[in-house]
Amino acid sequence: MNTLEITSSSPDETRHLGMRIGELAKEGDILLLTGKLGAGKTCLTQGIASGLGIEENTPSPSFVLVREFCGRLPLYHMDLYRLDNLNEIADLGLDDYLYGEGVCVIEWAEKGLSLMPPQYMLVNIDYTGETSRRFILEPHGEHYIKMINRLKAVKK
């Protein structure tokens, strides 16, 4: 598989990575984020929002489950952390977002992975130090492979 591994040494670098992803994002993109609590999922999403031209603060949607933001494309920021089973996740009406006109970013996506469409970008985030993180971007679908290749080109 054509994965991309990127190391970030700070929250600013994480937001910058997110910004590059947001700049490449297209209508209908689905970005699934996994990682432990505090790994940087929301920080990455803040960068994605910036790359989409969203200027407002983009906090974690942990307590509201879904937040919508307007930019070049709508951003649907979801958080599955507080949901305990697939039925709760299925009852959210995710299809309206997953097949909508915006970009979906879903934190704690591993909880609902079986409900996702077959094409998406999976972003696994691991701690590598106090402020450093490793991002492994795993594309599922041709569009996301192209996105990875464009990110690799910018990285060089």
Side-chain angles (χ1 to χ4, degrees), residues 21-121:
I21 293 169
E23 290 169 347
L24 295 172
K26 296 183 185 221
E27 180 179 315
D29 277 359
I30 301 169
L31 305 166
L32 306 179
L33 311 183
T34 67
K36 293 182 179 175
L37 196 62
K41 295 178 292 294
T42 299
C43 188
L44 183 70
T45 302
Q46 290 167 342
I48 293 167
S50 178
L52 289 169
I54 297 166
E55 295 180 11
E56 65 185 290
N57 184 32
T58 52
S60 174
S62 291
F63 295 100
V64 293
L65 302 178
V66 179
R67 291 186 189 268
E68 295 183 36
F69 302 94
C70 294
R72 174 176 62 82
L73 294 168
L75 171 63
Y76 310 126
H77 185 193
M78 299 173 232
D79 189 320
L80 305 181
Y81 179 72
R82 300 208 175 277
L83 301 178
D84 293 323
N85 62 59
L86 281 177
N87 290 332
E88 287 180 317
I89 296 167
D91 288 344
L92 284 176
L94 289 179
D95 285 356
D96 293 340
Y97 298 104
L98 295 172
Y99 299 101
E101 298 175 357
V103 175
C104 288
V105 176
I106 304 176
E107 297 187 28
W108 298 95
E110 64 274 17
K111 290 187 165 204
L113 204 53
S114 64
L115 299 173
M116 298 300 141
Q119 297 197 30
Y120 55 84
M121 176 80 74

